Amino acid sequence: MALDLVLLGPPGSGKGTQAARLTDKYRLPAIATGDILRAEVEAGTPLGQRIRSYLDRGELVPDQLVVDIIRQRLSQPDTEAGFILDGFPRTLPQAQALDAMLAELQRPLDAVLYLETDRQSLLDRLGQRHRQDDRADIADHRIDVFLEQTAPLIGYYRDEGKLRLIDGAQPTEAVAAAIDDVIRPLVGAAQARNPRPTSS
Ligand code: AMP
């Protein structure tokens, strides 16, 4: 089966937590652009230093940079059975680039799960983390960046018929159950397209 998913949601909406769970459950690689970018910063390369200036301010890095990262990552064989994108796409040009890439590979997205969460829940959760860019003022700005640059993707994917709304303000387990309800029929459809005995 190939199950291609996007987790969409503001910072603190639980994308990383849910992506990790989906990876365990469905054996699909989670691809988190934030993690990839932070690793580049940690490596201390000139590119990493450039990236850091965006991360530290809570701004998005340029589209081309993340699109190249994703193109390269999706060419790796472990994504053949599917993938979970966490934190990408975050702008309309990124979403369009992703659609073009996947059209070339003849494997359109199966669903975009939007973890809808109110601002206060987000700030509460980000306040419990210890990442540099989770500092209150930067976290607040990242939510604004989400509303300005990423929220338009909600309409974009609704128009494509891909959007699935999940109440992300619920406790983690309830969010996980809501995601499972959405994914179950997709797994069935993916298996029907590409029948192969599975252990689960
Ligand atoms: P995250 O770990 O997803 O919260 O991302 C942390 C930071 O990495 C963001 O605040 C952005 O600066 C940067 N970033 C991650 N993904 C993207 C993306 N798709 N486009 C642009 N910037 C990104």
Side-chain angles (χ1 to χ4, degrees), residues 11-12 15 32-35 37-38 51 54-56 58-63 66 70 86-91 94 129 131 133-134 142:
K15 298 187 298 295
T33 38
D35 287 348
L37 293 168
R38 278 186 292 275
I51 291 171
Y54 294 95
L55 265 62
D56 284 353
E59 295 289 342
L60 299 183
V61 305
D63 289 331
V66 275
I70 290 293
D86 161 6
F88 179 94
R90 259 179 157 95
T91 65
Q94 290 179 23
R129 306 200 307 202
R131 242 167 62 186
D133 61 349
D134 289 333
R142 285 164 61 220

Side-chain angles (χ1 to χ4, degrees), residues 6-168:
V6 167
L7 288 178
L8 180 67
S13 59
K15 298 187 298 295
T17 303
Q18 298 300 333
R21 211 188 122 269
L22 290 170
T23 291
D24 277 352
K25 183 156 181 172
Y26 296 101
R27 302 280 145 214
L28 298 174
I31 302 170
T33 38
D35 287 348
I36 297 170
L37 293 168
R38 278 186 292 275
E40 193 69 38
V41 170
E42 284 303 309
T45 59
L47 177 64
Q49 286 170 17
R50 210 180 123 220
I51 291 171
R52 163 170 269 156
S53 66
Y54 294 95
L55 265 62
D56 284 353
R57 286 178 288 129
E59 295 289 342
L60 299 183
V61 305
D63 289 331
Q64 197 56 53
L65 209 154
V66 275
V67 167
D68 287 346
I69 288 173
I70 290 293
R71 180 175 294 111
Q72 217 218 359
R73 186 65 187 84
L74 292 184
S75 73
Q76 290 170 20
D78 67 322
T79 61
E80 270 165 28
F83 53 77
I84 302 154
L85 293 178
D86 161 6
F88 179 94
R90 259 179 157 95
T91 65
L92 277 175
Q94 290 179 23
Q96 287 158 348
L98 177 65
D99 272 351
M101 252 182 260
L102 295 177
E104 226 168 87
L105 300 170
Q106 297 186 312
R107 54 179 305 174
L109 287 174
D110 290 290
V112 175
L113 309 175
Y114 172 42
L115 305 184
E116 198 172 21
T117 315
D118 64 280
R119 192 177 194 106
Q120 195 52 52
S121 306
L122 298 173
L123 290 171
D124 290 347
R125 285 183 195 163
L126 293 171
Q128 289 162 13
R129 306 200 307 202
H130 300 286
R131 242 167 62 186
Q132 205 276 343
D133 61 349
D134 289 333
R135 230 179 57 194
D137 52 336
I138 302 175
D140 203 57
H141 179 61
R142 285 164 61 220
I143 296 172
D144 287 340
V145 167
F146 172 85
L147 293 173
E148 283 160 23
Q149 302 194 52
T150 310
L153 299 188
I154 299 164
Y156 178 85
Y157 286 121
R158 185 179 285 127
D159 290 348
E160 283 194 350
K162 301 272 161 78
L163 193 76
R164 303 287 184 275
L165 285 183
I166 307 283
D167 176 0

